Amino acid sequence: RKEVEQDPGPFNVPEGATVAFNCTYSNSASQSFFWYRQDCRKEPKLLMSVYSSGNEDGRFTAQLNRASQYISLLIRDSKLSDSATYLCAVNTPNTGNQFYFGTGTSLTVIP
Amino acid sequence: EPEVTQTPSHQVTQMGQEVILRCVPISNHLYFYWYRQILGQKVEFLVSFYNNEISEKSEIFDDQFSVERPDGSNFTLKIRSTKLEDSAMYFCASSEVGQGNSPLHFGNGTRLTVT
């Protein structure tokens, strides 16, 4: 069973669209959740942390659903520059310091 | 904004050779990590390092691998006797605190190609 799972996509959306990704995690004891953005052959860059109450940063909204064990990322008013792969990262205290990453969801925003 | 830096950006080596990948973590961060990403696959944990010792390692991090903090700024990953399947992007990361309480900040990676 995979620790973290994501739909690989690809998601192809027009500019201005709203798109949402989910990421499921297997360990109910997981405590810390993050979304990263990764451009082709580049390093993952932190997009946002995911807080229990949900949080928003501009066009991006992250939510946590502990009951169903998933986190989500919503992007509103998509821009061409949002095209990237979005990775979720999960940390579970009893697994120490390592973060488990999903395989990522590929997003292409089309003009 | 402070960042993690890695050198070299690309390393080509022959099978069986040793390579050393170098990283300078963010200066006030206490936890350091190496992750790798084989082309087209997910980012995988190799090792975490705190207080000058390994705090955790994955199954991938076998005797072929070692890490060191030779001075106050550098953090290195050594791969002895490289194999073809070691070809991947290797990312160094650091975090302010451990146990997942702060996010990882990644360096720009070293692309290792083993021929």
Side-chain angles (χ1 to χ4, degrees):
Chain A
R1 186 179 180 184
K2 293 181 183 177
E3 293 283 344
V4 179
E5 293 200 60
Q6 293 183 254
D7 179 350
F11 284 65
N12 299 315
V13 303
E15 263 185 298
T18 295
V19 62
F21 312 129
N22 284 342
C23 167
T24 58
Y25 58 94
S26 60
N27 193 326
S28 59
S30 298
Q31 292 285 346
S32 303
F33 309 91
F34 304 94
W35 281 104
Y36 284 80
R37 171 201 168 118
Q38 186 174 31
D39 293 291
C40 188
R41 294 179 180 252
K42 300 285 189 182
E43 76 274 21
K45 287 187 187 290
L46 179 67
L47 184 62
M48 58 199 303
S49 304
V50 185
Y51 303 126
S52 297
S53 54
N55 48 300
E56 189 174 302
D57 183 2
R59 298 182 292 110
F60 299 84
T61 300
Q63 292 196 311
L64 167 64
N65 185 317
R66 285 198 183 275
S68 301
Q69 292 183 208
Y70 72 87
I71 61 172
S72 64
L73 177 68
L74 181 81
I75 306 175
R76 287 181 298 279
D77 188 24
S78 300
K79 312 285 185 199
L80 296 177
S81 57
D82 293 334
S83 298
T85 297
Y86 290 84
L87 311 177
C88 62
V90 176
N91 176 273
T92 307
N94 60 3
T95 65
N97 290 311
Q98 65 173 296
F99 287 74
Y100 291 98
F101 283 83
T103 51
T105 298
S106 173
L107 171 67
T108 301
V109 181
I110 304 163
Chain B
E1 183 179 331
E3 56 184 27
V4 177
T5 57
Q6 289 184 244
T7 55
S9 57
H10 192 188
Q11 174 90 48
V12 181
T13 190
Q14 288 190 322
M15 200 165 50
Q17 296 297 304
E18 174 182 287
V19 295
I20 297 177
L21 311 184
R22 302 179 192 280
C23 169
V24 179
I26 295 173
S27 61
N28 65 333
H29 284 188
L30 301 179
Y31 288 80
F32 315 127
Y33 310 81
W34 284 100
Y35 281 77
R36 80 170 186 191
Q37 187 176 32
I38 295 170
L39 188 63
Q41 298 186 26
K42 65 180 180 181
V43 176
E44 298 176 292
F45 171 77
L46 293 178
V47 65
S48 60
F49 193 86
Y50 170 70
N51 200 26
N52 283 319
E53 60 183 25
I54 290 174
S55 55
E56 196 176 348
K57 60 184 180 180
S58 71
E59 292 176 352
I60 302 169
F61 194 89
D62 59 21
D63 292 343
Q64 182 195 7
F65 295 88
S66 62
V67 289
E68 194 177 34
R69 188 158 163 82
D71 53 44
S73 59
N74 290 287
F75 178 52
T76 62
L77 174 68
K78 182 189 291 187
I79 310 175
R80 287 181 283 275
S81 190
T82 49
K83 304 190 282 280
L84 293 176
E85 54 264 37
D86 294 328
S87 296
M89 279 291 279
Y90 287 81
F91 294 110
C92 175
S94 66
S95 64
E96 284 185 80
V97 295
Q99 297 298 323
N101 291 319
S102 62
L104 302 179
H105 295 268
F106 286 91
N108 53 342
T110 293
R111 178 169 301 282
L112 177 65
T113 303
V114 182
T115 62

